[in-house]
């Protein structure tokens, strides 16, 4: 059903569509009434400057560093990103350095963050910039979107934070803030819907054009720390007086996590070179595999059960919607073939070099727990 258009004098956006929670137009959009916008913007920015988390990417206006942080933060916890962000920029401080690096080196620096396609697309974008734009990132969101791996969210973040372009950033946190302000249910399904367009229109209208970078970060920070999916801290919210929902609202239940058990073999031998005292047997996933192609891992056992006397470690590891119960057993060069599933190519790697390989997040976790890797790149 088409959305009825509000008149300009009402200072409103299109009303909620059929099937969505119906709220009085006057109350729903009072947050965007012309007289109320400046005070709410100011309240949000004041709150942000007083309460924002001290994160390394907020201490720079370098478009490249902001790009790296935004790609790393997609679907990844802030705590997991901080050390990787520092290590990545220390080794690859510029677009040129990223373009010239090998994919294996980039994946090694990315190891533990998951969603490795993000790193590969950054590499392609850097190579394109080096070849065609003298290694300079474009300054507008429209031009940034022409690069591999940069979509609406990332382009708006870079352009607004680094260059002051007045364009709203809409991630999951901002989406939740807006839906609660307007009294809408959060979007469901995939693809761009009419509600998605309404949310972006709302965000761009609410944006402070004089301080777009700080305002976008303030909206994201509000959703990450105050306007939480469960038990939002409404009394501490700077937008409380203009919010329609004031509390939790109907959301789509998260899919239930599945549980699986898997097991791996740890095989060590005395090193045959002087570079290391020990070597470890690792398997490289085929480049043709759809999940984590080219990454290195331990050989997987045929069965997840491990005799107590052979078990070295038990850990939990979550990927997407699956909780893995992982066991690791000791094996020898003679027994590993019969115990494990035939997979990618296997190589003996000096332990001193293992941390520089693009290990899967699970392999890195296992080797760190067993104190076989240094902790510098945790």
């Amino acid at each position: 059903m088409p959305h009825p258009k509000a008149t300009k004098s009402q200072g409103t956006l299109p009303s909620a569509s059929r099937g969505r929670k119906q709220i009085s137009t006057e109350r729903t959009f009072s947050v965007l009434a012309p007289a109320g916008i400046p005070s709410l913007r100011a309240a949000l920015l004041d709150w942000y400057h007083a309460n924002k988390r001290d994160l390394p990417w907020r201490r720079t206006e370098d478009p490249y560093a902001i790009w790296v942080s935004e790609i790393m933060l997609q679907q990844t916890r802030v705590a997991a990103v901080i050390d990787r962000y520092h290590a990545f920029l220390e080794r690859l401080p510029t677009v040129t350095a990223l373009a010239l690096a090998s994919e294996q080196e980039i994946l090694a620096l990315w190891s533990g963050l998951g969603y490795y396609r993000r790193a590969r697309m950054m590499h392609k974008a850097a190579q394109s910039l080096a070849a065609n734009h003298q290694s300079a990132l474009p300054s507008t969101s429209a031009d940034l979107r022409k690069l591999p791996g940069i979509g609406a969210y990332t382009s708006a973040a870079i352009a607004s934070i680094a260059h002051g372009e007045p364009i709203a950033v809409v991630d999951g946190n901002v989406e939740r803030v807006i839906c609660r302000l307007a009294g809408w249910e959060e979007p469901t399904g995939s693809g761009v819907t009419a509600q998605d367009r309404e949310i972006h229109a709302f965000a761009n209208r609410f944006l402070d054009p004089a301080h777009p970078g700080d305002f976008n970060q303030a909206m994201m920070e509000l959703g990450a720390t105050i306007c939480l999916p469960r038990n939002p801290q409404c009394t501490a919210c700077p937008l409380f007086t203009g919010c329609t929902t004031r509390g939790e609202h109907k959301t789509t239940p998260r899919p239930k996590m599945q549980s699986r058990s898997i097991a791996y073999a740890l095989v060590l031998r005395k090193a045959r070179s002087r570079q290391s005292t020990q070597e470890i047997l690792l398997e490289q996933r085929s480049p043709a595999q759809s999940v984590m192609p080219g990454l290195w891992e331990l050989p997987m056992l045929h069965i997840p059960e491990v005799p107590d006397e052979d078990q070295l470690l038990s850990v939990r590891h979550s990927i997407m919607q699956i909780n893995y119960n992982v066991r690791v057993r000791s094996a020898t060069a003679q027994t590993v073939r019969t115990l494990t599933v035939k997979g990618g190519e296997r190589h003996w790697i000096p332990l001193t070099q293992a941390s520089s390989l693009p290990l899967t997040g699970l392999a890195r976790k296992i080797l760190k727990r067993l104190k076989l890797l240094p902790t510098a790149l945790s």
Side-chain angles (χ1 to χ4, degrees), residues 196-229:
D196 293 321
R197 289 189 286 271
E198 288 178 357
I199 289 169
H200 278 79
F202 190 124
N204 278 297
R205 187 167 185 174
F206 194 34
L207 178 74
D208 186 340
H211 308 283
D214 279 356
F215 193 86
N216 280 327
Q217 292 181 89
M219 288 285 282
M220 290 187 282
E221 186 79 346
L222 187 69
T225 63
I226 298 293
C227 193
L228 302 168

PDB file of all heavy atoms in Angstrom, residues 196-229:
ATOM      1  N   ASP A 196      13.194   0.648   4.593  1.00  0.00           N
ATOM      2  CA  ASP A 196      14.613   1.007   4.554  1.00  0.00           C
ATOM      3  C   ASP A 196      14.799   2.417   4.000  1.00  0.00           C
ATOM      4  O   ASP A 196      15.611   3.197   4.506  1.00  0.00           O
ATOM      5  CB  ASP A 196      15.401   0.021   3.685  1.00  0.00           C
ATOM      6  CG  ASP A 196      15.449  -1.361   4.296  1.00  0.00           C
ATOM      7  OD1 ASP A 196      15.589  -1.466   5.522  1.00  0.00           O
ATOM      8  OD2 ASP A 196      15.331  -2.342   3.535  1.00  0.00           O
ATOM      9  N   ARG A 197      14.041   2.743   2.959  1.00  0.00           N
ATOM     10  CA  ARG A 197      14.155   4.081   2.373  1.00  0.00           C
ATOM     11  C   ARG A 197      13.672   5.142   3.355  1.00  0.00           C
ATOM     12  O   ARG A 197      14.230   6.241   3.436  1.00  0.00           O
ATOM     13  CB  ARG A 197      13.375   4.138   1.058  1.00  0.00           C
ATOM     14  CG  ARG A 197      14.048   3.331  -0.068  1.00  0.00           C
ATOM     15  CD  ARG A 197      13.387   3.582  -1.406  1.00  0.00           C
ATOM     16  NE  ARG A 197      12.092   2.909  -1.491  1.00  0.00           N
ATOM     17  CZ  ARG A 197      11.928   1.669  -1.933  1.00  0.00           C
ATOM     18  NH1 ARG A 197      12.971   0.944  -2.297  1.00  0.00           N
ATOM     19  NH2 ARG A 197      10.725   1.136  -2.017  1.00  0.00           N
ATOM     20  N   GLU A 198      12.609   4.826   4.118  1.00  0.00           N
ATOM     21  CA  GLU A 198      12.123   5.756   5.126  1.00  0.00           C
ATOM     22  C   GLU A 198      13.175   6.002   6.199  1.00  0.00           C
ATOM     23  O   GLU A 198      13.386   7.125   6.658  1.00  0.00           O
ATOM     24  CB  GLU A 198      10.841   5.210   5.772  1.00  0.00           C
ATOM     25  CG  GLU A 198       9.627   5.254   4.866  1.00  0.00           C
ATOM     26  CD  GLU A 198       8.388   4.647   5.537  1.00  0.00           C
ATOM     27  OE1 GLU A 198       8.525   4.148   6.678  1.00  0.00           O
ATOM     28  OE2 GLU A 198       7.323   4.689   4.937  1.00  0.00           O
ATOM     29  N   ILE A 199      13.835   4.925   6.609  1.00  0.00           N
ATOM     30  CA  ILE A 199      14.862   5.038   7.652  1.00  0.00           C
ATOM     31  C   ILE A 199      16.007   5.926   7.170  1.00  0.00           C
ATOM     32  O   ILE A 199      16.490   6.800   7.905  1.00  0.00           O
ATOM     33  CB  ILE A 199      15.370   3.639   8.046  1.00  0.00           C
ATOM     34  CG1 ILE A 199      14.276   2.900   8.829  1.00  0.00           C
ATOM     35  CG2 ILE A 199      16.645   3.733   8.877  1.00  0.00           C
ATOM     36  CD1 ILE A 199      14.570   1.420   9.039  1.00  0.00           C
ATOM     37  N   HIS A 200      16.461   5.733   5.939  1.00  0.00           N
ATOM     38  CA  HIS A 200      17.537   6.569   5.411  1.00  0.00           C
ATOM     39  C   HIS A 200      17.096   8.018   5.262  1.00  0.00           C
ATOM     40  O   HIS A 200      17.879   8.939   5.526  1.00  0.00           O
ATOM     41  CB  HIS A 200      18.028   6.009   4.072  1.00  0.00           C
ATOM     42  CG  HIS A 200      19.007   4.874   4.209  1.00  0.00           C
ATOM     43  ND1 HIS A 200      18.615   3.581   4.495  1.00  0.00           N
ATOM     44  CD2 HIS A 200      20.370   4.850   4.137  1.00  0.00           C
ATOM     45  CE1 HIS A 200      19.688   2.805   4.568  1.00  0.00           C
ATOM     46  NE2 HIS A 200      20.758   3.543   4.359  1.00  0.00           N
ATOM     47  N   ALA A 201      15.848   8.222   4.840  1.00  0.00           N
ATOM     48  CA  ALA A 201      15.339   9.589   4.734  1.00  0.00           C
ATOM     49  C   ALA A 201      15.296  10.253   6.104  1.00  0.00           C
ATOM     50  O   ALA A 201      15.666  11.427   6.264  1.00  0.00           O
ATOM     51  CB  ALA A 201      13.952   9.578   4.093  1.00  0.00           C
ATOM     52  N   PHE A 202      14.852   9.510   7.097  1.00  0.00           N
ATOM     53  CA  PHE A 202      14.808  10.009   8.473  1.00  0.00           C
ATOM     54  C   PHE A 202      16.220  10.381   8.920  1.00  0.00           C
ATOM     55  O   PHE A 202      16.459  11.467   9.462  1.00  0.00           O
ATOM     56  CB  PHE A 202      14.232   8.907   9.371  1.00  0.00           C
ATOM     57  CG  PHE A 202      13.888   9.319  10.784  1.00  0.00           C
ATOM     58  CD1 PHE A 202      12.603   9.125  11.266  1.00  0.00           C
ATOM     59  CD2 PHE A 202      14.831   9.862  11.643  1.00  0.00           C
ATOM     60  CE1 PHE A 202      12.275   9.467  12.578  1.00  0.00           C
ATOM     61  CE2 PHE A 202      14.523  10.204  12.941  1.00  0.00           C
ATOM     62  CZ  PHE A 202      13.236  10.006  13.411  1.00  0.00           C
ATOM     63  N   ALA A 203      17.168   9.478   8.694  1.00  0.00           N
ATOM     64  CA  ALA A 203      18.541   9.707   9.142  1.00  0.00           C
ATOM     65  C   ALA A 203      19.144  10.945   8.494  1.00  0.00           C
ATOM     66  O   ALA A 203      19.817  11.748   9.155  1.00  0.00           O
ATOM     67  CB  ALA A 203      19.395   8.476   8.842  1.00  0.00           C
ATOM     68  N   ASN A 204      18.920  11.125   7.199  1.00  0.00           N
ATOM     69  CA  ASN A 204      19.490  12.289   6.516  1.00  0.00           C
ATOM     70  C   ASN A 204      18.821  13.589   6.932  1.00  0.00           C
ATOM     71  O   ASN A 204      19.460  14.640   6.957  1.00  0.00           O
ATOM     72  CB  ASN A 204      19.389  12.090   4.994  1.00  0.00           C
ATOM     73  CG  ASN A 204      20.522  11.223   4.458  1.00  0.00           C
ATOM     74  OD1 ASN A 204      21.689  11.588   4.545  1.00  0.00           O
ATOM     75  ND2 ASN A 204      20.176  10.061   3.920  1.00  0.00           N
ATOM     76  N   ARG A 205      17.545  13.514   7.284  1.00  0.00           N
ATOM     77  CA  ARG A 205      16.864  14.718   7.739  1.00  0.00           C
ATOM     78  C   ARG A 205      17.296  15.102   9.144  1.00  0.00           C
ATOM     79  O   ARG A 205      17.414  16.278   9.471  1.00  0.00           O
ATOM     80  CB  ARG A 205      15.357  14.498   7.701  1.00  0.00           C
ATOM     81  CG  ARG A 205      14.570  15.769   8.005  1.00  0.00           C
ATOM     82  CD  ARG A 205      13.120  15.574   7.645  1.00  0.00           C
ATOM     83  NE  ARG A 205      12.384  16.806   7.816  1.00  0.00           N
ATOM     84  CZ  ARG A 205      11.128  16.969   7.472  1.00  0.00           C
ATOM     85  NH1 ARG A 205      10.481  15.963   6.916  1.00  0.00           N
ATOM     86  NH2 ARG A 205      10.508  18.104   7.662  1.00  0.00           N
ATOM     87  N   PHE A 206      17.561  14.110   9.968  1.00  0.00           N
ATOM     88  CA  PHE A 206      17.960  14.357  11.347  1.00  0.00           C
ATOM     89  C   PHE A 206      19.434  14.754  11.448  1.00  0.00           C
ATOM     90  O   PHE A 206      19.857  15.393  12.406  1.00  0.00           O
ATOM     91  CB  PHE A 206      17.691  13.094  12.165  1.00  0.00           C
ATOM     92  CG  PHE A 206      17.733  13.294  13.650  1.00  0.00           C
ATOM     93  CD1 PHE A 206      17.314  14.476  14.241  1.00  0.00           C
ATOM     94  CD2 PHE A 206      18.198  12.285  14.470  1.00  0.00           C
ATOM     95  CE1 PHE A 206      17.348  14.652  15.614  1.00  0.00           C
ATOM     96  CE2 PHE A 206      18.238  12.435  15.842  1.00  0.00           C
ATOM     97  CZ  PHE A 206      17.810  13.637  16.421  1.00  0.00           C
ATOM     98  N   LEU A 207      20.248  14.385  10.470  1.00  0.00           N
ATOM     99  CA  LEU A 207      21.684  14.650  10.471  1.00  0.00           C
ATOM    100  C   LEU A 207      21.998  16.128  10.683  1.00  0.00           C
ATOM    101  O   LEU A 207      21.335  17.001  10.130  1.00  0.00           O
ATOM    102  CB  LEU A 207      22.271  14.200   9.131  1.00  0.00           C
ATOM    103  CG  LEU A 207      23.766  14.426   8.908  1.00  0.00           C
ATOM    104  CD1 LEU A 207      24.577  13.424   9.716  1.00  0.00           C
ATOM    105  CD2 LEU A 207      24.101  14.318   7.424  1.00  0.00           C
ATOM    106  N   ASP A 208      23.021  16.400  11.481  1.00  0.00           N
ATOM    107  CA  ASP A 208      23.510  17.769  11.654  1.00  0.00           C
ATOM    108  C   ASP A 208      24.481  18.061  10.516  1.00  0.00           C
ATOM    109  O   ASP A 208      25.593  17.542  10.496  1.00  0.00           O
ATOM    110  CB  ASP A 208      24.223  17.906  12.997  1.00  0.00           C
ATOM    111  CG  ASP A 208      24.630  19.340  13.295  1.00  0.00           C
ATOM    112  OD1 ASP A 208      24.705  20.144  12.341  1.00  0.00           O
ATOM    113  OD2 ASP A 208      24.874  19.664  14.470  1.00  0.00           O
ATOM    114  N   PRO A 209      24.094  18.890   9.532  1.00  0.00           N
ATOM    115  CA  PRO A 209      24.953  19.125   8.371  1.00  0.00           C
ATOM    116  C   PRO A 209      26.238  19.860   8.708  1.00  0.00           C
ATOM    117  O   PRO A 209      27.203  19.815   7.939  1.00  0.00           O
ATOM    118  CB  PRO A 209      24.067  19.948   7.427  1.00  0.00           C
ATOM    119  CG  PRO A 209      23.067  20.607   8.328  1.00  0.00           C
ATOM    120  CD  PRO A 209      22.825  19.643   9.446  1.00  0.00           C
ATOM    121  N   ALA A 210      26.270  20.542   9.862  1.00  0.00           N
ATOM    122  CA  ALA A 210      27.479  21.265  10.260  1.00  0.00           C
ATOM    123  C   ALA A 210      28.523  20.338  10.890  1.00  0.00           C
ATOM    124  O   ALA A 210      29.711  20.661  10.890  1.00  0.00           O
ATOM    125  CB  ALA A 210      27.118  22.384  11.231  1.00  0.00           C
ATOM    126  N   HIS A 211      28.076  19.222  11.439  1.00  0.00           N
ATOM    127  CA  HIS A 211      29.001  18.287  12.097  1.00  0.00           C
ATOM    128  C   HIS A 211      28.640  16.849  11.715  1.00  0.00           C
ATOM    129  O   HIS A 211      28.347  16.025  12.591  1.00  0.00           O
ATOM    130  CB  HIS A 211      28.921  18.456  13.616  1.00  0.00           C
ATOM    131  CG  HIS A 211      29.096  19.859  14.088  1.00  0.00           C
ATOM    132  ND1 HIS A 211      30.318  20.483  14.148  1.00  0.00           N
ATOM    133  CD2 HIS A 211      28.178  20.783  14.501  1.00  0.00           C
ATOM    134  CE1 HIS A 211      30.171  21.718  14.597  1.00  0.00           C
ATOM    135  NE2 HIS A 211      28.884  21.918  14.802  1.00  0.00           N
ATOM    136  N   PRO A 212      28.647  16.507  10.435  1.00  0.00           N
ATOM    137  CA  PRO A 212      28.139  15.191  10.020  1.00  0.00           C
ATOM    138  C   PRO A 212      28.955  14.016  10.561  1.00  0.00           C
ATOM    139  O   PRO A 212      28.394  12.980  10.922  1.00  0.00           O
ATOM    140  CB  PRO A 212      28.191  15.248   8.496  1.00  0.00           C
ATOM    141  CG  PRO A 212      29.227  16.283   8.191  1.00  0.00           C
ATOM    142  CD  PRO A 212      29.111  17.296   9.279  1.00  0.00           C
ATOM    143  N   GLY A 213      30.286  14.149  10.622  1.00  0.00           N
ATOM    144  CA  GLY A 213      31.102  13.050  11.099  1.00  0.00           C
ATOM    145  C   GLY A 213      30.832  12.732  12.556  1.00  0.00           C
ATOM    146  O   GLY A 213      30.593  11.572  12.922  1.00  0.00           O
ATOM    147  N   ASP A 214      30.855  13.747  13.393  1.00  0.00           N
ATOM    148  CA  ASP A 214      30.582  13.538  14.814  1.00  0.00           C
ATOM    149  C   ASP A 214      29.147  13.076  15.039  1.00  0.00           C
ATOM    150  O   ASP A 214      28.883  12.232  15.904  1.00  0.00           O
ATOM    151  CB  ASP A 214      30.832  14.836  15.600  1.00  0.00           C
ATOM    152  CG  ASP A 214      32.311  15.048  15.906  1.00  0.00           C
ATOM    153  OD1 ASP A 214      33.124  14.161  15.587  1.00  0.00           O
ATOM    154  OD2 ASP A 214      32.658  16.103  16.458  1.00  0.00           O
ATOM    155  N   PHE A 215      28.222  13.627  14.274  1.00  0.00           N
ATOM    156  CA  PHE A 215      26.822  13.259  14.462  1.00  0.00           C
ATOM    157  C   PHE A 215      26.593  11.792  14.102  1.00  0.00           C
ATOM    158  O   PHE A 215      25.903  11.062  14.828  1.00  0.00           O
ATOM    159  CB  PHE A 215      25.912  14.151  13.617  1.00  0.00           C
ATOM    160  CG  PHE A 215      24.458  14.038  13.980  1.00  0.00           C
ATOM    161  CD1 PHE A 215      23.921  14.806  14.999  1.00  0.00           C
ATOM    162  CD2 PHE A 215      23.623  13.147  13.325  1.00  0.00           C
ATOM    163  CE1 PHE A 215      22.578  14.702  15.361  1.00  0.00           C
ATOM    164  CE2 PHE A 215      22.282  13.029  13.675  1.00  0.00           C
ATOM    165  CZ  PHE A 215      21.758  13.812  14.690  1.00  0.00           C
ATOM    166  N   ASN A 216      27.168  11.353  12.988  1.00  0.00           N
ATOM    167  CA  ASN A 216      27.029   9.946  12.610  1.00  0.00           C
ATOM    168  C   ASN A 216      27.623   9.027  13.670  1.00  0.00           C
ATOM    169  O   ASN A 216      27.032   7.999  14.026  1.00  0.00           O
ATOM    170  CB  ASN A 216      27.708   9.697  11.261  1.00  0.00           C
ATOM    171  CG  ASN A 216      26.854  10.121  10.084  1.00  0.00           C
ATOM    172  OD1 ASN A 216      25.631  10.039  10.134  1.00  0.00           O
ATOM    173  ND2 ASN A 216      27.491  10.568   9.013  1.00  0.00           N
ATOM    174  N   GLN A 217      28.797   9.390  14.173  1.00  0.00           N
ATOM    175  CA  GLN A 217      29.418   8.570  15.212  1.00  0.00           C
ATOM    176  C   GLN A 217      28.604   8.600  16.502  1.00  0.00           C
ATOM    177  O   GLN A 217      28.539   7.609  17.233  1.00  0.00           O
ATOM    178  CB  GLN A 217      30.846   9.044  15.465  1.00  0.00           C
ATOM    179  CG  GLN A 217      31.775   8.770  14.284  1.00  0.00           C
ATOM    180  CD  GLN A 217      33.195   9.207  14.537  1.00  0.00           C
ATOM    181  OE1 GLN A 217      34.013   8.446  15.050  1.00  0.00           O
ATOM    182  NE2 GLN A 217      33.494  10.447  14.187  1.00  0.00           N
ATOM    183  N   ALA A 218      27.966   9.739  16.771  1.00  0.00           N
ATOM    184  CA  ALA A 218      27.119   9.847  17.962  1.00  0.00           C
ATOM    185  C   ALA A 218      25.910   8.922  17.861  1.00  0.00           C
ATOM    186  O   ALA A 218      25.526   8.262  18.838  1.00  0.00           O
ATOM    187  CB  ALA A 218      26.666  11.290  18.153  1.00  0.00           C
ATOM    188  N   MET A 219      25.300   8.863  16.688  1.00  0.00           N
ATOM    189  CA  MET A 219      24.152   7.970  16.500  1.00  0.00           C
ATOM    190  C   MET A 219      24.561   6.507  16.655  1.00  0.00           C
ATOM    191  O   MET A 219      23.866   5.706  17.303  1.00  0.00           O
ATOM    192  CB  MET A 219      23.527   8.192  15.120  1.00  0.00           C
ATOM    193  CG  MET A 219      22.775   9.504  14.970  1.00  0.00           C
ATOM    194  SD  MET A 219      21.172   9.490  15.818  1.00  0.00           S
ATOM    195  CE  MET A 219      20.176   8.548  14.653  1.00  0.00           C
ATOM    196  N   MET A 220      25.719   6.155  16.090  1.00  0.00           N
ATOM    197  CA  MET A 220      26.193   4.772  16.216  1.00  0.00           C
ATOM    198  C   MET A 220      26.557   4.449  17.660  1.00  0.00           C
ATOM    199  O   MET A 220      26.267   3.359  18.155  1.00  0.00           O
ATOM    200  CB  MET A 220      27.394   4.551  15.285  1.00  0.00           C
ATOM    201  CG  MET A 220      27.028   4.558  13.803  1.00  0.00           C
ATOM    202  SD  MET A 220      28.393   4.090  12.700  1.00  0.00           S
ATOM    203  CE  MET A 220      29.356   5.596  12.674  1.00  0.00           C
ATOM    204  N   GLU A 221      27.182   5.403  18.334  1.00  0.00           N
ATOM    205  CA  GLU A 221      27.558   5.198  19.739  1.00  0.00           C
ATOM    206  C   GLU A 221      26.329   5.056  20.625  1.00  0.00           C
ATOM    207  O   GLU A 221      26.302   4.238  21.555  1.00  0.00           O
ATOM    208  CB  GLU A 221      28.415   6.375  20.212  1.00  0.00           C
ATOM    209  CG  GLU A 221      28.988   6.223  21.590  1.00  0.00           C
ATOM    210  CD  GLU A 221      30.223   5.324  21.623  1.00  0.00           C
ATOM    211  OE1 GLU A 221      30.480   4.618  20.630  1.00  0.00           O
ATOM    212  OE2 GLU A 221      30.925   5.316  22.637  1.00  0.00           O
ATOM    213  N   LEU A 222      25.291   5.838  20.340  1.00  0.00           N
ATOM    214  CA  LEU A 222      24.061   5.764  21.115  1.00  0.00           C
ATOM    215  C   LEU A 222      23.443   4.373  21.000  1.00  0.00           C
ATOM    216  O   LEU A 222      23.014   3.770  21.991  1.00  0.00           O
ATOM    217  CB  LEU A 222      23.071   6.825  20.630  1.00  0.00           C
ATOM    218  CG  LEU A 222      21.798   6.988  21.468  1.00  0.00           C
ATOM    219  CD1 LEU A 222      22.126   7.582  22.826  1.00  0.00           C
ATOM    220  CD2 LEU A 222      20.780   7.872  20.732  1.00  0.00           C
ATOM    221  N   GLY A 223      23.405   3.845  19.785  1.00  0.00           N
ATOM    222  CA  GLY A 223      22.835   2.515  19.582  1.00  0.00           C
ATOM    223  C   GLY A 223      23.681   1.408  20.174  1.00  0.00           C
ATOM    224  O   GLY A 223      23.156   0.374  20.583  1.00  0.00           O
ATOM    225  N   ALA A 224      24.995   1.628  20.236  1.00  0.00           N
ATOM    226  CA  ALA A 224      25.897   0.594  20.746  1.00  0.00           C
ATOM    227  C   ALA A 224      25.961   0.562  22.263  1.00  0.00           C
ATOM    228  O   ALA A 224      26.269  -0.487  22.850  1.00  0.00           O
ATOM    229  CB  ALA A 224      27.302   0.812  20.184  1.00  0.00           C
ATOM    230  N   THR A 225      25.676   1.686  22.924  1.00  0.00           N
ATOM    231  CA  THR A 225      25.887   1.749  24.374  1.00  0.00           C
ATOM    232  C   THR A 225      24.636   2.079  25.185  1.00  0.00           C
ATOM    233  O   THR A 225      24.576   1.744  26.369  1.00  0.00           O
ATOM    234  CB  THR A 225      26.963   2.802  24.712  1.00  0.00           C
ATOM    235  OG1 THR A 225      26.507   4.111  24.303  1.00  0.00           O
ATOM    236  CG2 THR A 225      28.280   2.487  24.005  1.00  0.00           C
ATOM    237  N   ILE A 226      23.647   2.722  24.599  1.00  0.00           N
ATOM    238  CA  ILE A 226      22.456   3.154  25.344  1.00  0.00           C
ATOM    239  C   ILE A 226      21.172   2.542  24.781  1.00  0.00           C
ATOM    240  O   ILE A 226      20.413   1.883  25.488  1.00  0.00           O
ATOM    241  CB  ILE A 226      22.324   4.700  25.338  1.00  0.00           C
ATOM    242  CG1 ILE A 226      23.535   5.338  26.029  1.00  0.00           C
ATOM    243  CG2 ILE A 226      21.020   5.121  26.016  1.00  0.00           C
ATOM    244  CD1 ILE A 226      23.640   5.066  27.512  1.00  0.00           C
ATOM    245  N   CYS A 227      20.940   2.737  23.494  1.00  0.00           N
ATOM    246  CA  CYS A 227      19.715   2.244  22.853  1.00  0.00           C
ATOM    247  C   CYS A 227      19.932   0.792  22.421  1.00  0.00           C
ATOM    248  O   CYS A 227      19.919   0.453  21.239  1.00  0.00           O
ATOM    249  CB  CYS A 227      19.360   3.132  21.656  1.00  0.00           C
ATOM    250  SG  CYS A 227      17.705   2.866  20.995  1.00  0.00           S
ATOM    251  N   LEU A 228      20.100  -0.062  23.422  1.00  0.00           N
ATOM    252  CA  LEU A 228      20.476  -1.459  23.194  1.00  0.00           C
ATOM    253  C   LEU A 228      19.277  -2.287  22.725  1.00  0.00           C
ATOM    254  O   LEU A 228      18.123  -1.926  22.990  1.00  0.00           O
ATOM    255  CB  LEU A 228      21.036  -2.042  24.483  1.00  0.00           C
ATOM    256  CG  LEU A 228      22.246  -1.300  25.067  1.00  0.00           C
ATOM    257  CD1 LEU A 228      22.533  -1.790  26.485  1.00  0.00           C
ATOM    258  CD2 LEU A 228      23.457  -1.493  24.181  1.00  0.00           C
ATOM    259  N   PRO A 229      19.529  -3.415  22.051  1.00  0.00           N
ATOM    260  CA  PRO A 229      18.414  -4.259  21.611  1.00  0.00           C
ATOM    261  C   PRO A 229      17.545  -4.735  22.770  1.00  0.00           C
ATOM    262  O   PRO A 229      16.323  -4.790  22.653  1.00  0.00           O
ATOM    263  CB  PRO A 229      19.107  -5.446  20.928  1.00  0.00           C
ATOM    264  CG  PRO A 229      20.444  -4.929  20.526  1.00  0.00           C
ATOM    265  CD  PRO A 229      20.824  -3.933  21.582  1.00  0.00           C
TER     266      PRO A 229
END
